Amino acid sequence: MDTNDAAGRFLDALQDPASDGEGGPEMAPSRLARAFAQAVGVDGAALSIHEGAGLRTPIGASDRTTSHAEQLQFTAGDGPCLRAHDTGRAIVFDLEDIARNWPELHSALLGETPYRAVFSLPLAPPLGPTVIVDLYARELDTLSSVPRDDVEAALLVLTEELVRSSASEPVDEGARWWDSPDARRRSRVWQATGVATVALGLDVVDTLTVLRAHAFATGRVVDDVADDIVEGRLDPASLRDPDPRSSSGPDTDPGAESSG
């Protein structure tokens, strides 16, 4: 196998033994994201599915820090990933770009991750632009130095591998790649949104906006707020209270949040 080209490096990285708990088909996106990051020489990669109206479901990330970065973008309700989905094209943002477009996301990335630049791009057809991959780097120079031909070559193989993974899984047995742990956790956001929609008398989009505002006000991510609602630790009706401290669920240290 030729590891001098990005596609070869990607396929070579896929041959690395799976870590404990990563052998199942539901972990395929995480293995693919890790291989992609290694192939193109970035610090992290994450895959997500977009369904319109700002609804996105993470399906895999190369590591926990990158998974948390995805949660921060989702909590912001916008960001490079959504922009790539909406435009259908690849786009690079450094911290200055993010600060100008999404100040709250800028503060969160700066304070909670080591990442200083994001390169978001749709997968190749038939999965793009529904499926997006975010590439994260600690320095903008890292992304700037990655040959775009390498990214495109690795992206094509990533798409092929994800399609092959889907086609090879029996439709009536076990977990599939879209049933990843990150995706299952995000499904609790949709569950909590349904509960909060009834409690607040709002539509789904406005309810999600309320959950996001509460998450930012309390230094958390929407996924954590959703867990509190689903588990009964937070009454969604209390989110009408303008003071988030009176309804923030259990005491937590924002700097010690789990990356999911």
Side-chain angles (χ1 to χ4, degrees):
M1 184 178 299
D2 183 5
T3 57
N4 291 321
D5 67 273
R9 292 193 299 271
F10 178 89
L11 293 172
D12 188 59
L14 276 184
Q15 303 308 310
D16 292 344
S19 304
D20 291 342
E22 287 198 341
E26 73 277 10
M27 299 305 296
S30 291
R31 296 193 298 269
L32 291 169
R34 187 176 304 114
F36 196 97
Q38 293 176 16
V40 301
V42 298
D43 298 307
L47 287 158
S48 57
I49 298 175
H50 293 249
E51 303 175 55
L55 304 181
R56 56 183 279 176
T57 298
I59 55 174
S62 57
D63 57 86
R64 289 174 63 85
T65 299
T66 305
S67 177
H68 186 59
E70 185 282 328
Q71 292 173 357
L72 294 175
Q73 281 205 64
F74 178 71
T75 299
D78 205 345
C81 191
L82 187 60
R83 185 70 60 84
H85 169 262
D86 289 346
T87 63
R89 60 186 179 88
I91 190 165
V92 176
F93 287 91
D94 63 14
L95 273 185
E96 289 186 4
D97 297 326
I98 294 172
R100 183 168 56 253
N101 288 278
W102 311 289
E104 291 179 328
L105 176 60
H106 170 266
S107 297
L109 285 174
L110 190 63
E112 300 182 40
T113 79
Y115 297 135
R116 302 297 177 259
V118 186
F119 183 14
S120 299
L121 59 161
L123 266 62
L127 297 181
T130 301
V131 182
I132 302 292
V133 61
D134 287 330
L135 307 180
Y136 292 89
R138 291 178 171 86
E139 302 292 340
L140 177 59
D141 287 348
T142 300
L143 291 183
S144 301
S145 64
V146 174
R148 293 301 181 260
D149 287 347
D150 280 6
V151 173
E152 292 299 328
L155 188 70
L156 182 59
V157 181
L158 167 62
T159 303
E160 292 171 346
E161 290 294 322
L162 200 54
V163 170
R164 183 177 296 113
S165 177
S166 176
S168 65
E169 293 164 8
V171 297
D172 57 350
E173 296 181 14
R176 300 164 181 83
W177 59 258
W178 53 87
D179 295 321
S180 68
D182 283 347
R184 290 197 298 270
R185 188 174 189 211
R186 185 59 49 79
S187 72
R188 289 171 73 85
V189 174
W190 314 138
Q191 184 180 353
T193 301
V195 173
T197 293
V198 175
L200 298 172
L202 301 173
D203 62 25
V204 171
V205 173
D206 287 343
T207 298
L208 192 53
T209 298
V210 171
L211 298 186
R212 284 170 165 146
H214 180 77
F216 262 114
T218 55
R220 311 175 75 201
V221 293
V222 171
D223 302 80
D224 291 335
V225 174
D227 277 342
D228 284 348
I229 292 174
V230 172
E231 296 299 326
R233 296 186 294 264
L234 173 63
D235 179 0
S238 68
L239 298 181
R240 294 192 183 95
D241 191 327
D243 182 359
R245 293 171 297 178
S246 66
S247 57
S248 59
D251 289 338
T252 58
D253 176 3
E257 285 293 322
S258 168
S259 61

